[in-house]
Amino acid sequence: MSLLPWCIYLSLAGALLSLAAGRRSAGAARWIALATAAGSWGLTLLAAARFTPGPGMQTLVDIPWIPTMGVRYHLAADGISLTLVVLTGLVATSGVLFSWNIGERTGEFFGLFLALVAGVYGVFLSADVLLLFVFYEVAIVPKYFLIAIWGSTNREYAAMKLALYSFAGSAMVLAGLLWVYAAGGGHSFGFAELAQAAALLPRAQQIVIFGLVFFGFATLAGIFPLHTWAPTGHVAAPTAASMLLAGVVMKLGAYGCLRVALPLSPVGFAFWQTPIAWLALIGIVYAGLVALMREDLKFVIGYSSVSHMGFVLLGLAAADLRAVSGAVLQMFSHGVIAGLLFAVVGRMVYDRTHTRMLSDLRAMPLARLLPFAAVVFVIAGMASMGLPGFSGFPAELSILIGSWTVAPGWVAVAAVGVLVAAAFTLRAIRLSFFGSGEGAASQESGKASDHALQFPPITLAEKAGALLLVGATVLVGLKPDLLLDWINPALQSPLFHAVLKGGAP
Amino acid sequence: MNPDYAGLFLALRPEAALVAGALLALALDLSLFRRSRAGVRLGAALWVGALAVLAAGFCAALGARGPAFGGVLMFDTLAVAARIGVLVLTLLTLGAARAAPPGRQPAEYVAMMLFAATGLVLMAAAQQLLLIFLALELASLSLYVISGFDRRRPESAEAALKYFVFGGMASAFLLFGFSLLYGVTGSIDLPQIAAGIAGQGSNPLLLVALVMVLVAFGFKVAAAPFHLWAPDVYQGAPAPSAALVASASKLAGFTLFARLLWVGLGTIHASHEVPWFAPGWFPAVAIVAAASLLLGNFAALAQSSVRRLLAYSAIAHSGALLLGVMAAGRSGLGPLFYYAATYGLATVGAFGAIAAAESGGRCESIADLAGLHRRSPLLAGCLTVFILSLAGIPPLAGFFGKFVVFSAALQGGLSWPLGWLAMLAIALGALALYYYLKVLKQVLVAAPVPGAAPIVVPRATALSLLVAAALLVWFGLNPGQLLGLF
């Protein structure tokens, strides 16, 4: 376990090294990035293998950091954080593989990429709220540059929008946290100490504080009216960055909601529970409907991410043990699936066809030209729809079951969302990969265009990355207990007891 | 009072070292380097100046503690830390000055900088109205001169004139306020003024004096609505001069301001009905802080010139620093000093980078920074650190500055106007990111304009930029190092 913090340091070291190496040779930067990303992932897996699940966070490092302010450098892990660091390692490693073709400013790309990854690891492992916040902001800055420098469609606008939304969210979080911290006398940023301080405040203040912190974090998780940064950002980002954004960074927001906001003030949560659930439901259905209408394939996936993150938020809002463990499982599942979808669309398809418009793609017989991509996209699509056998199924199911015990009405709306998700996924699969022949073109000209359209084959790096992600979603789909056995004990900790209800799942 | 001149000299060894260094730089320039090229003369003068500043720094670190010369000077933790901070910032400014064009009188330029530094270190320790005024004037007059030192550019003369006119008016206000204070309390020593005020209740004359002093300091630290000189001076002055005005002078100014308000005027009671306006100057300073935060951040959004942007950001930061001054009564001076010192490091670095960028071509508008990452990776990297620190992004020191000041301001909760100001400042921080990112977008994202040459950064400048960036990272990772002093 005590090895685990090294995934942060290793990623940071990798960031600096590939930044330095990139000035000489792009190849060296790539290999350094791959080695450190895979190495960090290996560390998380090693830690996971040695992990004994239990309630409460197991301390990894705990030293005073800013003694006068009571801030500690306190890293700790429980089943939830372990699930998410394993996810981070997986997505980061496959993200490096899918970025193998970045040729411009390669060293800087991987430097920023790994800095972002290090920040994400840090957030998941922090047991001191200020430390968590510091890592959270460290993760935001590289996103801006990854999108603005290496992005596509409208990148500068998208990057700025994403950065401003993120920072507006984190300003809300900071305001709420400082308020509680100061009210507690300014002694500690521990989760429990902040919760104690918050409990002493008047109810109205608790409601405002909870709102600030929860919605601040939820901005990054893509909660309904604050989600608009997500589709534009995902679309503009280079492949690996969209994979990280949708796969991991949106989880930072959800993780902050779960780890920081929920235990902070049960009183505040009681007030906000219903509004949050309805915003999540609106997000599920609305984003799904938008995904059904969009022409740009990456927008379809971007909105599908918002829709799927709605399930996570719904699970958190239900505050039922099963729903919350389902939400954590959904974070993992969606991280893998979104990574896979963006990899297929951004790297395998767009980098070869140079279009993401469904109307253009349907004119190409992509399933024949890129069979590997087609297979992966179908698998990812099925996983995304929540078919049994893939990780999305146990996750969404347990969110829905858990929410049913709280408010059946929510589940009815969410079920519509599941149908919409199936609809937009099938539409995307059909139009993108299996669209040829629908036009007026005859068989002859179809063959001719086959010859005209010769794409470079799928590279080994892409295949390796795709297999990693497909393997993960199938593995968790077939045996969700692998992760649930970590997650459920973690939810038994005294901090969560104050907000979560429901018996043992 | 029995004057102890030997003790006074011992206490003022840093000032003596600075003055000696200034005179030596002038003398060497007139004798040994008389016929050398301007670049060599500048280099020599800068070396002498740097050594003098280093010597002064050692004297300040190892020198006197506690009151000196019958309480005229006060070497408490804040004073010593601020004196060392001012000297570090001056040293970094001298390094940045290596990149600026030497001009016709390089030694005089360096000498004036050292005189300004002398005034600033005196300001940090002064505890008597007369000395406060003299130190402030020494620093201000030297700063006016170096603002107008670039004779080839009319903007520089304009900057100096504006700075001088506004500054002179501020000095007049200050003197008037001081004379009223003396008239009311019969003393010019801050602790005795406080004692004299304590029994007075709300004396209207005292309030007039208070307003005069606040107006004057508002001018000096560029707080809205007394900020009008700042954008022009930051834009027109030679970059190293602007660096000194924006960093060391800010640090010394806020140190003095905090001392004057808390030690000297902390016992003024304006109103007995409203308990949270404990010292009478609270409402006025709170209004100035709010105005600075709002005006600085919103005006900065619209700027297209890098230096004007930094000027408006400086006004916004002044607002945050005023929060630190107000919160000092509850949480001590640590947060204020940390914020001011790290803010100084970031601005001195930013102006140093601008000075270096100007040596390789135009650097007027933000767009002139386009492609800096190609033209000079070193400058781009350092400037990124400075701007991100100004924006308050962790793990850089700028974030912790905000964190400590705002959490100090929130200590009283929201029933205190200070808490609301902190909330306002946090909200505006998210807005501020927009204009900081606008700069970084040019630096790191945009491609260089065709024909833009690589920038050669002189070694001394590169070193001081790297040191400033390293200090920002170091104090960000170890905020306790500065905060633990207090």
Side-chain angles (χ1 to χ4, degrees):
Chain A
M1 282 297 282
S2 56
L3 273 179
L4 202 48
W6 284 93
C7 63
I8 307 173
Y9 315 142
L10 187 61
S11 303
L12 269 185
L16 295 176
L17 280 178
S18 50
L19 189 63
R23 301 180 61 79
R24 296 278 157 77
S25 129
R30 286 187 191 113
W31 281 106
I32 288 171
L34 182 62
T36 46
S40 312
W41 186 34
L43 283 177
T44 65
L45 289 176
L46 197 66
R50 294 184 187 171
F51 177 68
T52 36
M57 298 184 89
Q58 302 171 17
T59 293
L60 307 168
V61 190
D62 188 9
I63 45 174
W65 181 27
I66 315 177
T68 46
M69 311 293 289
V71 180
R72 307 186 68 79
Y73 185 77
H74 186 184
L75 297 177
D78 62 3
I80 300 172
S81 31
L82 204 60
T83 306
L84 292 168
V85 289
V86 170
L87 168 73
T88 308
L90 173 63
V91 176
T93 309
S94 53
V96 172
L97 287 172
F98 281 110
S99 318
W100 214 252
N101 63 335
I102 297 273
E104 184 198 357
R105 298 170 78 179
T106 314
E108 289 159 66
F109 178 84
F110 285 114
L112 288 168
F113 183 87
L114 288 171
L116 169 54
V117 170
V120 172
Y121 278 129
V123 171
F124 291 144
L125 293 177
S126 296
D128 183 283
V129 178
L130 189 79
L131 184 63
L132 187 147
F133 184 81
V134 166
F135 279 121
Y136 185 80
E137 295 230 317
V138 167
I140 294 177
V141 177
K143 288 191 302 186
Y144 173 80
F145 293 109
L146 282 173
I147 297 176
I149 300 178
W150 292 275
S152 52
T153 326
N154 220 352
R155 60 189 178 188
E156 285 176 6
Y157 165 76
M160 186 61 95
K161 185 168 174 183
L162 179 147
L164 291 183
Y165 266 83
S166 305
F167 275 102
S170 64
M172 285 163 72
V173 172
L174 184 66
L177 291 178
L178 280 184
W179 188 345
V180 178
Y181 165 78
H187 299 306
S188 170
F189 269 102
F191 292 116
E193 287 83 351
L194 284 186
Q196 281 165 12
L200 297 176
L201 289 170
R203 179 166 177 275
Q205 289 198 20
Q206 288 198 46
I207 288 172
V208 175
I209 289 172
F210 181 88
L212 281 173
V213 177
F214 188 93
F215 286 101
F217 278 122
T219 306
L220 208 58
I223 197 167
F224 168 62
L226 305 174
H227 67 282
T228 58
W229 64 270
T232 45
H234 291 346
V235 169
T239 303
S242 349
M243 290 173 69
L244 268 191
L245 265 187
V248 181
V249 173
M250 287 179 92
K251 275 59 186 184
L252 291 183
Y255 180 80
C257 291
L258 171 63
R259 176 75 79 194
V260 181
L262 283 188
L264 187 62
S265 165
V267 177
F269 175 66
F271 176 85
W272 285 106
Q273 182 173 24
T274 315
I276 291 169
W278 281 105
L279 288 176
L281 289 168
I282 295 173
I284 292 174
V285 176
Y286 166 80
L289 290 175
V290 176
L292 198 54
M293 306 303 293
R294 292 311 289 242
E295 212 7 53
D296 184 328
L297 189 50
K298 231 172 164 180
F299 261 116
V300 173
I301 299 173
Y303 275 102
S304 91
S305 277
V306 176
S307 175
H308 285 297
M309 287 305 292
F311 278 98
V312 174
L313 292 167
L314 177 66
L316 297 182
D320 170 89
L321 216 51
R322 245 166 318 192
V324 173
S325 69
V328 178
L329 195 59
Q330 170 81 343
M331 288 191 216
F332 183 91
S333 159
H334 175 254
V336 174
I337 296 168
L340 202 51
L341 288 169
F342 277 115
V344 174
V345 174
R347 174 76 180 89
M348 296 186 188
V349 174
Y350 179 67
D351 282 352
R352 291 185 171 78
T353 64
H354 302 290
T355 177
R356 295 186 309 246
M357 291 298 150
L358 286 172
S359 52
D360 296 336
L361 290 175
R362 72 190 294 186
M364 302 176 195
L366 272 189
R368 240 178 306 151
L369 293 173
L370 299 170
F372 184 83
V375 171
V376 173
F377 195 64
V378 170
I379 293 176
M382 293 199 298
S384 176
M385 282 187 278
L387 290 189
F390 298 101
S391 54
F393 176 70
E396 291 184 5
L397 192 65
S398 85
I399 293 174
L400 294 180
I401 293 177
S403 309
W404 181 270
T405 59
V406 181
W410 299 352
V411 180
V413 180
V416 175
V418 174
L419 286 181
V420 175
F424 70 70
T425 313
L426 288 174
R427 169 176 172 267
I429 292 177
R430 189 172 61 84
L431 290 185
S432 57
F433 279 92
F434 302 97
S436 75
E438 287 204 356
S442 69
Q443 201 65 23
E444 284 302 308
S445 65
K447 276 215 174 112
S449 73
D450 266 21
H451 287 293
L453 288 168
Q454 279 301 330
F455 298 131
I458 305 284
T459 62
L460 192 64
E462 290 169 65
K463 285 185 179 162
L467 287 179
L468 282 178
L469 294 169
V470 170
T473 175
V474 172
L475 182 67
V476 174
L478 295 178
K479 194 162 168 43
D481 288 353
L482 273 180
L483 296 180
L484 288 176
D485 282 348
W486 296 347
I487 298 166
N488 283 326
L491 291 175
Q492 300 292 350
S493 85
L495 270 181
F496 287 122
H497 259 308
V499 269
L500 303 187
K501 49 188 174 298
Chain B
M1 193 172 75
N2 188 16
D4 167 18
Y5 290 105
L8 181 64
F9 177 75
L10 282 179
L12 293 185
R13 272 174 301 176
E15 283 81 354
L18 287 172
V19 173
L23 296 178
L24 187 63
L26 287 175
L28 280 180
D29 192 59
L30 282 175
S31 54
L32 273 181
F33 295 97
R34 196 165 183 180
R35 312 211 173 278
S36 310
R37 282 182 300 111
V40 177
R41 288 166 62 196
L42 178 65
L46 286 174
W47 266 112
V48 174
L51 289 176
V53 173
L54 275 177
F58 278 113
C59 295
L62 305 174
R65 292 287 185 279
F69 207 57
V72 170
L73 292 154
M74 180 66 188
F75 296 98
D76 51 7
T77 315
L78 176 68
V80 175
R83 282 157 75 84
I84 295 173
V86 164
L87 290 170
V88 169
L89 293 172
T90 309
L91 191 62
L92 294 174
T93 310
L94 290 177
R98 190 75 186 92
R104 276 171 52 206
Q105 293 145 317
E108 281 86 340
Y109 187 58
V110 173
M112 288 318 288
M113 278 196 165
L114 292 181
F115 287 135
T118 313
L120 295 173
V121 286
L122 258 182
M123 271 164 73
Q127 201 180 218
Q128 185 217 41
L129 295 186
L130 208 55
L131 188 64
I132 288 175
F133 186 75
L134 287 177
L136 205 56
E137 281 306 284
L138 173 58
S140 301
L141 287 169
S142 316
L143 290 176
Y144 305 149
V145 174
I146 59 171
S147 297
F149 222 84
D150 191 349
R151 295 204 209 143
R152 291 161 310 159
R153 287 167 54 236
E155 297 95 326
S156 180
E158 183 197 336
L161 188 64
K162 272 198 177 148
Y163 196 15
F164 175 65
V165 171
F166 277 113
M169 205 162 71
S171 298
F173 271 105
L174 191 67
L175 205 52
F176 196 19
F178 279 0
S179 65
L180 286 177
L181 276 180
Y182 174 64
V184 171
T185 62
S187 173
I188 52 171
D189 288 315
L190 290 185
Q192 279 155 31
I193 289 176
I197 289 170
Q200 300 248 353
S202 42
N203 180 343
L205 255 172
L206 208 49
L207 292 185
V208 174
L210 184 62
V211 169
M212 297 276 176
V213 170
L214 287 183
V215 168
F217 269 93
F219 274 115
K220 294 289 177 196
V221 301
F226 316 111
H227 62 278
L228 291 166
W229 59 272
D232 292 312
V233 171
Y234 281 36
Q235 186 181 24
S241 318
L244 203 62
V245 172
S247 61
S249 137
K250 267 259 165 86
L251 174 58
F254 270 101
T255 307
L256 178 54
F257 199 24
R259 190 184 301 284
L260 184 68
L261 287 181
W262 282 109
V263 178
L265 306 174
T267 48
I268 292 188
H269 283 277
S271 152
H272 293 285
E273 289 89 61
V274 194
W276 28 263
F277 284 173
W281 43 264
F282 239 82
V285 176
I287 291 168
V288 172
S292 308
L293 282 168
L294 287 168
L295 184 128
N297 279 311
F298 279 105
L301 288 178
Q303 301 308 315
S304 60
S305 148
V306 194
R307 290 170 168 223
R308 290 188 88 84
L309 189 147
L310 284 174
Y312 283 103
S313 115
I315 294 165
H317 280 284
S318 278
L321 279 161
L322 286 174
L323 281 187
V325 172
M326 286 187 279
R330 251 186 126 100
S331 328
L333 294 156
L336 174 70
F337 175 74
Y338 183 88
Y339 196 125
T342 55
Y343 168 76
L345 282 174
T347 35
V348 83
F351 275 106
I354 289 174
E358 276 172 350
S359 70
R362 265 167 55 87
C363 184
E364 271 291 310
S365 75
I366 299 173
D368 291 333
L369 289 170
L372 196 62
H373 67 96
R374 277 275 149 83
R375 300 173 63 200
S376 168
L378 170 88
L379 274 188
C382 289
L383 193 57
T384 305
V385 172
F386 303 138
I387 299 278
L388 287 179
S389 181
L390 287 176
I393 305 292
L396 298 170
F399 168 75
F400 294 95
K402 288 189 168 173
F403 163 65
V404 290
V405 164
F406 296 163
S407 58
L410 273 164
Q411 287 289 316
L414 291 184
S415 56
W416 219 31
L418 208 47
W420 287 103
L421 280 178
M423 289 288 171
L424 175 74
I426 292 173
L428 290 172
L431 181 79
L433 193 78
Y434 172 74
Y435 55 80
Y436 291 122
L437 276 182
K438 230 168 56 173
V439 176
L440 287 186
K441 188 171 92 179
Q442 296 298 332
V443 171
L444 292 180
V445 178
V449 285
I455 298 168
V456 184
V457 184
R459 256 175 302 172
T461 307
L463 183 68
S464 48
L465 292 182
L466 284 173
V467 167
L471 284 176
L472 284 173
V473 173
W474 175 252
F475 287 132
L477 295 177
N478 300 289
Q481 295 240 303
L482 285 183
L483 291 169
L485 296 174
F486 290 88

